[in-house]
Amino acid sequence: MLMTVEPIADALKSLGKKTLTVYMSPQGKPLTQNMLKALSIEDEITILCGHYEGVDERVLERYIDTEISIGDYILTGGELPAMVLIDGVSRLINGVLGSAESPEDESFSPDGLLEYPQYTRPREYDGMSVPEVLLNGNHSEIQRWRRKMSLVNTAKKRPELLENAHITEEERNWAKTFIACKEEKHDT
């Protein structure tokens, strides 16, 4: 089942003005945090979602500015990927999260590392404690711990991100050593 040209073309023409037009497609560029940042400064975005087999190629050639994928897998339609795109973009728009700094201290921003672990109350739960450094009030120690734990999280969960991360050479070497030790433990 393929969506035909005319209804889509008529709908896009009816907008009256040209907006950035995105087609959600498994063939598109993979969605990244940097792409979300770029899209968040657009005045308007029109999102086209195919269904089943997608849309007639002539729509893509004439009306689509970019194709975006949320991963290397197939869904029945582009509606869920569009929701992912909308959520990712909207949270970067000033005022949506309540603080302009909120999206800056997270995974992938700005250094390309995963975020550090976070804790809430109670201080102890089922034999597990909040790290003492987070309770001592020393903000410089807390920042150092967060940086180190971001490196640990990235090395453990997504080591390929370290390749392009904005980290010092010392941090890069430490992460490589951490990964090597982890692999050595896994092999034994």
Side-chain angles (χ1 to χ4, degrees):
M1 185 185 298
L2 199 61
M3 297 170 69
T4 63
V5 173
E6 294 90 352
I8 298 170
D10 290 346
L12 293 173
K13 287 179 198 174
S14 76
L15 296 176
K17 65 177 182 171
K18 179 70 174 125
T19 67
L20 178 71
T21 306
V22 174
Y23 178 56
M24 303 309 298
S25 164
Q27 296 181 20
K29 296 175 194 154
L31 183 62
T32 64
Q33 191 66 28
N34 285 337
M35 191 183 296
L36 290 171
K37 284 180 186 176
L39 292 170
S40 74
I41 60 172
E42 291 287 332
D43 289 331
E44 288 187 37
I45 301 171
T46 301
I47 303 172
L48 177 62
C49 302
H51 208 75
Y52 297 122
E53 284 298 312
V55 302
D56 188 296
E57 184 68 23
R58 293 169 289 185
V59 170
L60 304 179
E61 290 174 12
R62 169 88 35 104
Y63 299 103
I64 301 302
D65 298 310
T66 189
E67 294 183 45
I68 296 177
S69 170
I70 64 164
D72 294 339
Y73 50 89
I74 308 297
L75 302 172
T76 57
E79 299 84 3
L80 293 174
M83 289 176 21
V84 169
L85 180 71
I86 291 166
D87 188 72
V89 168
S90 62
R91 64 187 310 283
L92 295 173
I93 295 171
N94 198 14
V96 170
L97 295 180
S99 168
E101 291 82 36
S102 291
E104 292 303 315
D105 195 20
E106 300 179 317
S107 293
F108 311 112
S109 300
D111 55 16
L113 297 174
L114 297 180
E115 193 171 14
Y116 48 82
Q118 297 189 48
Y119 299 87
T120 61
R121 291 186 176 105
R123 187 175 186 160
E124 279 199 39
Y125 174 77
D126 200 21
M128 299 180 294
S129 299
V130 173
E132 193 61 39
V133 68
L134 300 178
L135 304 170
N136 71 15
N138 185 326
H139 295 289
S140 62
E141 282 183 22
I142 292 170
Q143 284 304 108
R144 280 193 299 279
W145 179 88
R146 286 178 172 171
R147 181 67 176 186
K148 181 178 180 182
M149 295 313 295
S150 285
L151 283 163
V152 167
N153 261 354
T154 307
K156 278 176 28 180
K157 298 176 182 178
R158 297 282 308 277
E160 77 279 5
L161 294 175
L162 293 168
E163 182 96 12
N164 296 316
H166 302 289
I167 58 177
T168 67
E169 198 58 37
E170 181 181 340
E171 290 172 326
R172 192 171 306 284
N173 290 333
W174 183 88
K176 286 178 184 175
T177 303
F178 177 87
I179 292 168
C181 289
K182 187 178 109 178
E183 289 172 350
E184 191 175 292
K185 280 184 183 178
H186 183 69
D187 289 342
T188 57

